[in-house]
Amino acid sequence: MKSARVLWGRVPAPVVDVALVAVAGADVWLTLWDDTRPGVAPATLGCAALAFRRRFPLGVFLLTLPIALMQPVALAPLVALFTLAERSRSRPLLAGCVALAAVAGSIPWPLAGFAEVGRTMTLIDFVYSLATAAAPVLFGQLLQAHRDLARRLAEIEEAREHERALHAQAVLARERAQLAREMHDVVSHQVSLIAVQAGAMQVAAKDPNAKEAARTIRSLSVTTLDELRTMVTLLRASGGQATELTPQPTLADLHKLVESSGTHAQLKGELPPIVGTPAQRAIYRTVQEALTNVRKHAPGADARVELWQDGDHVGVTVTNTPPTRPSLSLPGSQHGLIGLGERADILHGTLEAGPTTEGGYRVRLRIPLSADG
């Protein structure tokens, strides 16, 4: 079944349309009641219009209605109805088109024969025509729902993969931070004691060889302590890839963050170069969390990241438009926003987050220019 679907998907769309036009033409040629020129002309036009069903589904359906009027069960209107149902999300429009097809299929042709057929038979024909016209609409809506579900599953899987990557990075960052604390609290303390004892030995020793050995020990201890402090700094600042040690992000990394966020986002404004490192990290994490929330909860929305300065305060505002697709039902505890609020409090700033009047969402961080965490 899956291989057949794959093979069908490889058939070019123009080939499918040409085949449908040919089949619909053969259907009209074999079963058309009115073989006069006034009857053949609209039937031919309706069959030829199927070649444009993907671009103008509603117009093509209207052009195929005369075929349903002159033929008991016509293929062309059913194909046009299926295409319209596959592409349209307007249920009233689809219901109206089904009713039109049923009326066209139940009215006697020519109209002069209405008295011979009678109202009862016409009503029976209308019920059968209604059921026949509803079938392709149901199939088209089913195919549309299948595509929507497949797209949502792909988005959910992508979001879960992104969440797993973030979780792995968070675990790695915690492990490195713990290792950095252990190195600083234990190893650094011991090496410092060695350096102090070596310095005391260097001062108290009378033997030149012992004095030189103490001096060497103290020099090596100081060098080791400096290297150890550098490693602790790198461990605390890292938390991304497992194969490298990278510093904490700054404002210079915002462009890369916005470009790789997976959303339609724009970065505007700039901040003075005197912004402190803690403030830069807070702004970066705020933008990162806001764009992640846009990606999770507002699919297809546009986002705007604005850096600004207000006197002795700086900040960033991330605003997104309403989603263009249904939001994913993903779990969210808003711990990210809570963490950003705590970070802002530490820096004596404020964080505001909430919906906009246009249906979007806004996150605004405001911190002192001289913030130092």
Side-chain angles (χ1 to χ4, degrees), residues 3-351:
S3 59
R5 189 184 301 116
V6 172
L7 291 176
W8 175 257
R10 293 180 179 177
V11 179
V15 175
V16 176
D17 293 337
V18 170
L20 284 176
V21 171
V23 173
D27 176 60
V28 168
W29 182 68
L30 292 174
T31 59
L32 188 66
W33 288 347
D34 190 354
D35 57 356
T36 62
R37 180 174 297 181
V40 173
T44 304
L45 178 62
C47 292
L50 290 178
F52 306 96
R53 65 190 181 93
R54 301 176 192 272
R55 293 188 59 186
F56 311 103
L58 180 58
V60 170
F61 166 70
L62 294 177
L63 289 176
T64 59
L65 275 180
I67 302 178
L69 188 66
M70 297 177 290
Q71 190 174 339
V73 180
L75 177 63
L78 299 181
V79 173
L81 266 178
F82 171 80
T83 305
L84 180 62
E86 182 189 5
R87 283 162 168 72
S88 176
R89 297 183 182 274
S90 175
R91 300 292 175 81
L93 175 63
L94 295 177
C97 291
V98 169
L100 279 177
V103 170
S106 59
I107 294 178
W109 186 263
L111 295 177
F114 181 77
E116 299 178 2
V117 175
R119 294 183 180 180
T120 303
M121 195 62 191
T122 302
L123 181 60
I124 294 175
D125 289 341
F126 175 78
V127 173
Y128 279 105
S129 299
L130 189 65
T132 303
V137 171
L138 293 178
F139 279 117
Q141 289 284 282
L142 180 62
L143 182 60
Q144 184 185 101
H146 179 269
R147 284 201 305 262
D148 291 344
L149 180 60
R151 186 176 64 250
R152 288 194 181 187
L153 289 176
E155 291 176 350
I156 291 174
E157 184 60 31
E158 183 181 358
R160 286 178 176 174
E161 191 66 29
H162 184 64
E163 291 292 333
R164 283 194 289 266
L166 291 179
H167 178 70
Q169 292 181 10
V171 171
L172 179 62
R174 285 197 300 269
E175 291 178 350
R176 285 179 170 172
Q178 182 178 2
L179 179 60
R181 285 194 299 270
E182 293 293 331
M183 291 177 64
H184 181 271
D185 296 341
V186 179
V187 182
S188 177
H189 177 68
Q190 300 294 339
V191 175
S192 298
L193 289 179
I194 292 174
V196 171
Q197 294 294 332
M201 184 183 296
Q202 182 181 357
V203 173
K206 302 299 183 181
D207 184 27
N209 293 331
K211 187 182 291 289
E212 179 64 22
R215 188 195 66 80
T216 302
I217 293 174
R218 183 177 185 279
S219 176
L220 291 175
S221 299
V222 171
T223 302
T224 302
L225 190 60
D226 290 338
E227 293 179 352
L228 181 62
R229 286 171 178 168
T230 302
M231 293 178 62
V232 169
T233 302
L234 289 174
L235 282 172
R236 284 176 172 171
S238 64
Q241 301 295 328
T243 57
E244 60 181 359
L245 295 176
T246 57
Q248 284 280 16
T250 61
L251 294 179
D253 301 311
L254 276 181
H255 287 281
K256 183 178 180 181
L257 173 65
V258 172
E259 292 175 358
S260 60
S261 63
T263 62
H264 301 288
Q266 291 183 344
L267 177 62
K268 296 183 178 180
E270 58 182 12
L271 294 177
I274 60 174
V275 178
T277 301
Q280 293 190 40
R281 286 201 298 264
I283 292 173
Y284 182 94
R285 296 305 182 191
T286 300
V287 174
Q288 185 181 46
E289 179 65 19
L291 293 181
T292 299
N293 288 339
V294 172
R295 182 179 178 182
K296 287 171 56 179
H297 305 298
D302 295 331
R304 182 176 60 189
V305 181
E306 293 181 287
L307 301 173
W308 48 268
Q309 180 179 3
D310 181 15
D312 57 350
H313 286 76
V314 294
V316 62
T317 302
V318 183
T319 309
N320 65 272
T321 60
T324 59
R325 300 191 300 271
S327 301
L328 300 176
S329 300
L330 297 176
S333 57
Q334 295 189 343
H335 286 170
L337 292 178
I338 294 175
L340 293 179
E342 294 174 350
R343 185 190 292 267
D345 290 338
I346 293 175
L347 298 177
H348 307 288
T350 58
L351 179 77

